[in-house]
PDB file of all heavy atoms in Angstrom:
ATOM      1  N   LEU A  97       6.422   3.097   2.837  1.00 96.00           N
ATOM      2  CA  LEU A  97       5.472   2.056   2.431  1.00 96.00           C
ATOM      3  C   LEU A  97       5.932   0.710   2.966  1.00 96.00           C
ATOM      4  O   LEU A  97       7.047   0.278   2.689  1.00 96.00           O
ATOM      5  CB  LEU A  97       5.379   2.024   0.907  1.00 96.00           C
ATOM      6  CG  LEU A  97       4.431   1.015   0.277  1.00 96.00           C
ATOM      7  CD1 LEU A  97       2.984   1.302   0.691  1.00 96.00           C
ATOM      8  CD2 LEU A  97       4.553   1.062  -1.229  1.00 96.00           C
ATOM      9  N   LEU A  98       5.070   0.061   3.726  1.00 94.00           N
ATOM     10  CA  LEU A  98       5.338  -1.288   4.216  1.00 94.00           C
ATOM     11  C   LEU A  98       4.901  -2.263   3.138  1.00 94.00           C
ATOM     12  O   LEU A  98       3.747  -2.225   2.705  1.00 94.00           O
ATOM     13  CB  LEU A  98       4.548  -1.524   5.511  1.00 94.00           C
ATOM     14  CG  LEU A  98       4.853  -2.816   6.235  1.00 94.00           C
ATOM     15  CD1 LEU A  98       4.825  -2.592   7.733  1.00 94.00           C
ATOM     16  CD2 LEU A  98       3.872  -3.892   5.842  1.00 94.00           C
ATOM     17  N   THR A  99       5.825  -3.119   2.690  1.00 93.00           N
ATOM     18  CA  THR A  99       5.490  -4.028   1.599  1.00 93.00           C
ATOM     19  C   THR A  99       6.341  -5.285   1.627  1.00 93.00           C
ATOM     20  O   THR A  99       7.460  -5.278   2.126  1.00 93.00           O
ATOM     21  CB  THR A  99       5.671  -3.337   0.224  1.00 93.00           C
ATOM     22  OG1 THR A  99       5.271  -4.251  -0.807  1.00 93.00           O
ATOM     23  CG2 THR A  99       7.103  -2.908   0.001  1.00 93.00           C
ATOM     24  N   TRP A 100       5.790  -6.330   1.038  1.00 89.00           N
ATOM     25  CA  TRP A 100       6.533  -7.563   0.781  1.00 89.00           C
ATOM     26  C   TRP A 100       7.039  -7.593  -0.655  1.00 89.00           C
ATOM     27  O   TRP A 100       7.791  -8.476  -1.040  1.00 89.00           O
ATOM     28  CB  TRP A 100       5.635  -8.776   1.041  1.00 89.00           C
ATOM     29  CG  TRP A 100       5.497  -9.078   2.492  1.00 89.00           C
ATOM     30  CD1 TRP A 100       4.655  -8.476   3.380  1.00 89.00           C
ATOM     31  CD2 TRP A 100       6.258 -10.015   3.242  1.00 89.00           C
ATOM     32  NE1 TRP A 100       4.836  -8.997   4.634  1.00 89.00           N
ATOM     33  CE2 TRP A 100       5.820  -9.961   4.574  1.00 89.00           C
ATOM     34  CE3 TRP A 100       7.263 -10.915   2.916  1.00 89.00           C
ATOM     35  CZ2 TRP A 100       6.349 -10.752   5.578  1.00 89.00           C
ATOM     36  CZ3 TRP A 100       7.785 -11.714   3.921  1.00 89.00           C
ATOM     37  CH2 TRP A 100       7.328 -11.619   5.231  1.00 89.00           C
ATOM     38  N   ASP A 101       6.600  -6.645  -1.474  1.00 86.00           N
ATOM     39  CA  ASP A 101       6.957  -6.621  -2.888  1.00 86.00           C
ATOM     40  C   ASP A 101       7.897  -5.444  -3.179  1.00 86.00           C
ATOM     41  O   ASP A 101       7.553  -4.519  -3.909  1.00 86.00           O
ATOM     42  CB  ASP A 101       5.699  -6.534  -3.751  1.00 86.00           C
ATOM     43  CG  ASP A 101       5.988  -6.709  -5.224  1.00 86.00           C
ATOM     44  OD1 ASP A 101       7.142  -7.028  -5.580  1.00 86.00           O
ATOM     45  OD2 ASP A 101       5.064  -6.523  -6.029  1.00 86.00           O
ATOM     46  N   ALA A 102       9.069  -5.484  -2.608  1.00 92.00           N
ATOM     47  CA  ALA A 102      10.019  -4.381  -2.742  1.00 92.00           C
ATOM     48  C   ALA A 102      10.460  -4.160  -4.182  1.00 92.00           C
ATOM     49  O   ALA A 102      10.655  -3.020  -4.603  1.00 92.00           O
ATOM     50  CB  ALA A 102      11.228  -4.634  -1.850  1.00 92.00           C
ATOM     51  N   ALA A 103      10.623  -5.213  -4.955  1.00 90.00           N
ATOM     52  CA  ALA A 103      11.143  -5.083  -6.326  1.00 90.00           C
ATOM     53  C   ALA A 103      10.263  -4.169  -7.171  1.00 90.00           C
ATOM     54  O   ALA A 103      10.770  -3.287  -7.881  1.00 90.00           O
ATOM     55  CB  ALA A 103      11.279  -6.454  -6.974  1.00 90.00           C
ATOM     56  N   CYS A 104       8.984  -4.344  -7.127  1.00 89.00           N
ATOM     57  CA  CYS A 104       8.062  -3.518  -7.912  1.00 89.00           C
ATOM     58  C   CYS A 104       8.174  -2.056  -7.498  1.00 89.00           C
ATOM     59  O   CYS A 104       8.333  -1.171  -8.340  1.00 89.00           O
ATOM     60  CB  CYS A 104       6.623  -3.999  -7.731  1.00 89.00           C
ATOM     61  SG  CYS A 104       5.393  -2.880  -8.471  1.00 89.00           S
ATOM     62  N   TYR A 105       8.089  -1.810  -6.205  1.00 94.00           N
ATOM     63  CA  TYR A 105       8.093  -0.425  -5.746  1.00 94.00           C
ATOM     64  C   TYR A 105       9.450   0.243  -5.970  1.00 94.00           C
ATOM     65  O   TYR A 105       9.514   1.419  -6.294  1.00 94.00           O
ATOM     66  CB  TYR A 105       7.652  -0.345  -4.289  1.00 94.00           C
ATOM     67  CG  TYR A 105       6.200  -0.732  -4.138  1.00 94.00           C
ATOM     68  CD1 TYR A 105       5.827  -1.911  -3.502  1.00 94.00           C
ATOM     69  CD2 TYR A 105       5.187   0.065  -4.663  1.00 94.00           C
ATOM     70  CE1 TYR A 105       4.495  -2.276  -3.385  1.00 94.00           C
ATOM     71  CE2 TYR A 105       3.855  -0.289  -4.556  1.00 94.00           C
ATOM     72  CZ  TYR A 105       3.512  -1.457  -3.910  1.00 94.00           C
ATOM     73  OH  TYR A 105       2.193  -1.804  -3.807  1.00 94.00           O
ATOM     74  N   ARG A 106      10.527  -0.498  -5.825  1.00 95.00           N
ATOM     75  CA  ARG A 106      11.860   0.086  -6.088  1.00 95.00           C
ATOM     76  C   ARG A 106      12.024   0.430  -7.565  1.00 95.00           C
ATOM     77  O   ARG A 106      12.669   1.410  -7.910  1.00 95.00           O
ATOM     78  CB  ARG A 106      12.954  -0.879  -5.641  1.00 95.00           C
ATOM     79  CG  ARG A 106      13.135  -0.881  -4.156  1.00 95.00           C
ATOM     80  CD  ARG A 106      14.394  -1.630  -3.722  1.00 95.00           C
ATOM     81  NE  ARG A 106      14.479  -1.601  -2.276  1.00 95.00           N
ATOM     82  CZ  ARG A 106      14.412  -2.671  -1.494  1.00 95.00           C
ATOM     83  NH1 ARG A 106      14.312  -3.874  -2.024  1.00 95.00           N
ATOM     84  NH2 ARG A 106      14.478  -2.549  -0.184  1.00 95.00           N
ATOM     85  N   THR A 107      11.449  -0.377  -8.427  1.00 94.00           N
ATOM     86  CA  THR A 107      11.555  -0.146  -9.867  1.00 94.00           C
ATOM     87  C   THR A 107      10.725   1.051 -10.318  1.00 94.00           C
ATOM     88  O   THR A 107      11.214   1.919 -11.035  1.00 94.00           O
ATOM     89  CB  THR A 107      11.123  -1.400 -10.646  1.00 94.00           C
ATOM     90  OG1 THR A 107      11.976  -2.485 -10.274  1.00 94.00           O
ATOM     91  CG2 THR A 107      11.195  -1.179 -12.147  1.00 94.00           C
ATOM     92  N   TYR A 108       9.478   1.111  -9.897  1.00 95.00           N
ATOM     93  CA  TYR A 108       8.556   2.105 -10.431  1.00 95.00           C
ATOM     94  C   TYR A 108       8.373   3.335  -9.539  1.00 95.00           C
ATOM     95  O   TYR A 108       7.882   4.360 -10.015  1.00 95.00           O
ATOM     96  CB  TYR A 108       7.205   1.457 -10.752  1.00 95.00           C
ATOM     97  CG  TYR A 108       7.385   0.421 -11.834  1.00 95.00           C
ATOM     98  CD1 TYR A 108       7.490  -0.932 -11.535  1.00 95.00           C
ATOM     99  CD2 TYR A 108       7.528   0.812 -13.162  1.00 95.00           C
ATOM    100  CE1 TYR A 108       7.711  -1.867 -12.526  1.00 95.00           C
ATOM    101  CE2 TYR A 108       7.743  -0.116 -14.162  1.00 95.00           C
ATOM    102  CZ  TYR A 108       7.840  -1.453 -13.841  1.00 95.00           C
ATOM    103  OH  TYR A 108       8.070  -2.381 -14.826  1.00 95.00           O
ATOM    104  N   PHE A 109       8.783   3.243  -8.287  1.00 97.00           N
ATOM    105  CA  PHE A 109       8.665   4.364  -7.363  1.00 97.00           C
ATOM    106  C   PHE A 109       9.935   4.476  -6.527  1.00 97.00           C
ATOM    107  O   PHE A 109       9.934   4.267  -5.307  1.00 97.00           O
ATOM    108  CB  PHE A 109       7.418   4.196  -6.462  1.00 97.00           C
ATOM    109  CG  PHE A 109       6.170   4.004  -7.264  1.00 97.00           C
ATOM    110  CD1 PHE A 109       5.635   2.743  -7.456  1.00 97.00           C
ATOM    111  CD2 PHE A 109       5.548   5.087  -7.870  1.00 97.00           C
ATOM    112  CE1 PHE A 109       4.488   2.557  -8.229  1.00 97.00           C
ATOM    113  CE2 PHE A 109       4.407   4.918  -8.634  1.00 97.00           C
ATOM    114  CZ  PHE A 109       3.873   3.655  -8.823  1.00 97.00           C
ATOM    115  N   PRO A 110      11.059   4.769  -7.180  1.00 97.00           N
ATOM    116  CA  PRO A 110      12.352   4.730  -6.502  1.00 97.00           C
ATOM    117  C   PRO A 110      12.516   5.760  -5.382  1.00 97.00           C
ATOM    118  O   PRO A 110      13.387   5.597  -4.524  1.00 97.00           O
ATOM    119  CB  PRO A 110      13.357   4.975  -7.629  1.00 97.00           C
ATOM    120  CG  PRO A 110      12.583   5.668  -8.693  1.00 97.00           C
ATOM    121  CD  PRO A 110      11.181   5.140  -8.589  1.00 97.00           C
ATOM    122  N   THR A 111      11.670   6.774  -5.342  1.00 97.00           N
ATOM    123  CA  THR A 111      11.781   7.775  -4.283  1.00 97.00           C
ATOM    124  C   THR A 111      11.075   7.359  -2.997  1.00 97.00           C
ATOM    125  O   THR A 111      11.271   7.982  -1.961  1.00 97.00           O
ATOM    126  CB  THR A 111      11.201   9.134  -4.737  1.00 97.00           C
ATOM    127  OG1 THR A 111       9.793   8.964  -5.015  1.00 97.00           O
ATOM    128  CG2 THR A 111      11.934   9.657  -5.961  1.00 97.00           C
ATOM    129  N   VAL A 112      10.274   6.306  -3.061  1.00 97.00           N
ATOM    130  CA  VAL A 112       9.512   5.872  -1.886  1.00 97.00           C
ATOM    131  C   VAL A 112      10.409   5.078  -0.951  1.00 97.00           C
ATOM    132  O   VAL A 112      11.068   4.115  -1.372  1.00 97.00           O
ATOM    133  CB  VAL A 112       8.287   5.024  -2.304  1.00 97.00           C
ATOM    134  CG1 VAL A 112       7.575   4.440  -1.077  1.00 97.00           C
ATOM    135  CG2 VAL A 112       7.318   5.864  -3.128  1.00 97.00           C
ATOM    136  N   GLU A 113      10.427   5.481   0.309  1.00 96.00           N
ATOM    137  CA  GLU A 113      11.147   4.726   1.323  1.00 96.00           C
ATOM    138  C   GLU A 113      10.329   3.485   1.675  1.00 96.00           C
ATOM    139  O   GLU A 113       9.145   3.597   2.013  1.00 96.00           O
ATOM    140  CB  GLU A 113      11.377   5.577   2.566  1.00 96.00           C
ATOM    141  CG  GLU A 113      12.160   4.867   3.642  1.00 96.00           C
ATOM    142  CD  GLU A 113      12.325   5.702   4.900  1.00 96.00           C
ATOM    143  OE1 GLU A 113      12.077   6.922   4.863  1.00 96.00           O
ATOM    144  OE2 GLU A 113      12.683   5.126   5.924  1.00 96.00           O
TER     145      GLU A 113
END
Side-chain angles (χ1 to χ4, degrees):
L97 181 63
L98 187 143
T99 183
W100 282 82
D101 188 7
C104 171
Y105 293 111
R106 283 191 181 116
T107 300
Y108 297 99
F109 305 100
T111 62
V112 174
E113 182 183 346

